[in-house]
């Protein structure tokens, strides 16, 4: 298969993964809400977004510090444990009810078993398909929980601010590039690994940031050097590219929020997907296609401005087509 064709197939696989995360978030939103997994008491409060953005900034600083001081095992352990916990939330609402009392605590082995298996797989054999499978489960679970925790206005505020932050961190401070380098070497499910050949092995690879950014600060021989886009492989030379898991999760938060909080009726009985949620998914995919095109061209671009922008634009189009006034679609009614 020609390399360019492989790149197109890999791009299609990336679109499928994004759709799985978004559809999974919508499917999980209802069961999560019934199980009481909402993270806040008042999902319509826009200050929830500010608090979450602050938590992201603190977490980013902590991860950069961990990488800088060489205690990578701490970050690896935290992410793997978090992966197991998030997957436990997912499997707990999907598994048939079965309770076994252990030490006075009722557990469901049909939920805790797969969660432990996923965490062990990430720890012992983080091949690309293990990373991607874990990413779909984690992404759908995280987006579903945040989707029921952020009403329409908080979700839109969250996506807008994070899109601006992503652009600044990639084009301005470039600290996101340093973070990407560090976590890639740790082989953690914070990225989606998209191989262009079936023979590719993430276990045998020693990746460097490969997202198409034009300039990347790298450290070599004790000093800082600059690698320009001329030194980076384009789609005809590379055998893998990487997409941050957060790029899949963040727009899916709005998709799940639209499915839960939009007054539009579900398109299919028994499934929460409404027209605004569907068009948010379509908008995300449109942004993803443009992003993948830029990556394959070897051009620089932050992901969230395109992805979150596509999700917000798609959602608003769907809301208007559903006859929802723009003020209500934005969640501004209580403030006007």
């Amino acid at each position: 298969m020609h390399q360019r064709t492989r790149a197109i197939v890999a791009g299609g696989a990336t679109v499928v993964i994004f759709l799985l995360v978004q559809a999974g978030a919508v499917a999980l939103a209802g069961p999560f809400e019934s199980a009481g997994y909402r993270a806040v008491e008042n999902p319509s409060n826009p200050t929830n977004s500010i608090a979450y953005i602050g938590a992201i900034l603190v977490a980013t600083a902590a991860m950069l510090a961990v990488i800088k001081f060489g205690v990578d095992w701490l970050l690896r352990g935290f992410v793997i444990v978090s992966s197991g916990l998030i997957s436990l939330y997912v499997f707990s609402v999907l598994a048939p009810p079965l309770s076994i009392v252990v030490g006075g605590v009722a557990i469901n082995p049909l939920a805790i078993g797969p969660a432990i298996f996923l965490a062990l797989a990430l720890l012992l054999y983080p091949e690309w398909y293990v990373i991607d499978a874990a990413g779909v489960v984690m992404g759908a679970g995280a987006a579903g929980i945040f989707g029921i925790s952020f009403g329409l206005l908080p979700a839109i505020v969250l996506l807008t601010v994070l899109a601006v932050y992503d652009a600044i961190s990639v084009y301005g401070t470039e600290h996101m590039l340093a973070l990407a380098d560090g976590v890639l070497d740790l082989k953690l499910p914070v990225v989606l690994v998209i191989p262009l050949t079936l023979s590719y092995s993430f276990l045998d690879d020693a990746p460097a940031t490969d997202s198409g950014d034009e300039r990347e600060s790298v450290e070599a021989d004790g000093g800082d050097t600059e690698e320009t886009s001329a030194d980076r492989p384009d789609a005809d030379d590379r055998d893998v590219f990487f997409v941050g898991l957060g790029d899949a999760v963040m727009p899916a938060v709005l998709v799940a929020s639209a499915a839960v909080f939009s007054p539009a009726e579900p398109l299919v009985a028994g499934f929460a997907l409404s027209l605004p949620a569907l068009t948010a998914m379509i908008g995300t995919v449109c942004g993803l296609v443009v992003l993948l095109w830029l990556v394959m061209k070897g051009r620089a671009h932050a992901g969230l401005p395109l992805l979150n922008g596509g999700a917000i634009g798609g959602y608003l189009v769907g809301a208007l087509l559903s006859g929802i006034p723009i003020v209500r679609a934005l969640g501004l009614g209580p403030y006007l």
Side-chain angles (χ1 to χ4, degrees):
M1 186 185 298
H2 189 271
Q3 186 73 1
R4 182 63 62 173
T5 303
R6 290 172 179 166
I8 294 173
V9 172
T14 307
V15 172
V16 170
I17 291 175
F18 269 61
L19 290 175
L20 286 174
V21 169
Q22 295 186 326
V26 172
L28 290 168
F32 278 170
E33 197 165 23
S34 299
Y37 289 165
R38 178 175 288 168
V40 298
E41 291 186 5
N42 181 12
S44 64
N45 187 347
T47 60
N48 295 336
S49 303
I50 306 303
Y52 181 69
I53 291 164
I56 290 178
L57 294 176
V58 171
T60 300
M63 287 190 288
L64 287 170
V66 165
I67 293 170
K68 180 178 180 180
F69 291 108
V71 284
D72 298 346
W73 61 269
L74 186 62
L75 177 58
R76 180 170 171 77
F78 175 78
V79 173
I80 290 176
V81 170
S82 299
S83 303
L85 290 175
I86 294 174
S87 63
L88 179 59
Y89 279 112
V90 173
F91 296 131
S92 67
V93 299
L94 296 179
L98 175 65
S99 294
I100 297 179
V101 179
V102 178
V105 178
I107 64 172
N108 185 345
L110 299 180
I112 198 170
I116 292 175
F117 176 80
L118 182 145
L120 288 176
L122 290 172
L123 177 64
L124 302 175
Y125 194 75
E127 187 53 274
W128 65 265
Y129 44 83
V130 175
I131 296 288
D132 289 351
V136 170
V137 174
M138 290 174 58
I145 291 173
F146 287 121
I148 66 174
S149 303
F150 289 87
L152 295 172
L153 178 59
I156 292 172
V157 170
L158 177 68
L159 266 64
T160 301
V161 175
L162 287 181
V164 174
Y165 169 68
D166 193 35
I168 294 172
S169 65
V170 171
Y171 305 134
T173 64
E174 298 186 356
H175 68 270
M176 197 60 70
L177 302 179
L179 181 61
D181 280 337
V183 297
L184 279 177
D185 290 337
L186 294 177
K187 295 178 170 48
L188 295 171
V190 294
V191 293
L192 299 170
V193 185
I194 316 297
L196 275 69
T197 63
L198 291 178
S199 61
Y200 171 79
S201 173
F202 190 43
L203 290 172
D204 298 334
D205 198 2
T209 302
D210 188 17
S211 58
D213 304 290
E214 296 228 359
R215 298 176 67 85
E216 172 189 0
S217 294
V218 295
E219 188 168 312
D221 300 327
D224 290 335
T225 62
E226 295 282 349
E227 181 185 34
T228 66
S229 59
D231 301 315
R232 305 174 68 81
D234 60 20
D236 292 329
D237 300 320
R238 69 179 70 195
D239 57 358
V240 64
F241 61 85
F242 305 95
V243 179
L245 181 59
D247 289 344
V249 171
M250 287 302 114
V253 170
L254 179 58
V255 173
S257 178
V260 172
F261 296 105
S262 171
E265 293 294 325
L267 296 173
V268 179
F271 189 59
L273 187 69
S274 61
L275 180 59
L278 176 62
T279 53
M281 293 176 66
I282 294 172
T284 303
V285 170
C286 291
L288 177 60
V289 170
V290 175
L291 178 63
L292 292 173
W293 178 77
L294 292 170
V295 170
M296 292 178 186
K297 287 286 187 179
R299 293 173 56 186
H301 220 297
L304 292 184
L306 283 169
L307 297 166
N308 289 0
I312 294 171
Y315 160 72
L316 292 176
V317 168
L320 292 175
L321 291 176
S322 299
I324 302 171
I326 189 66
V327 171
R328 190 176 183 186
L330 291 171
L332 293 172
Y335 307 98
L336 297 177

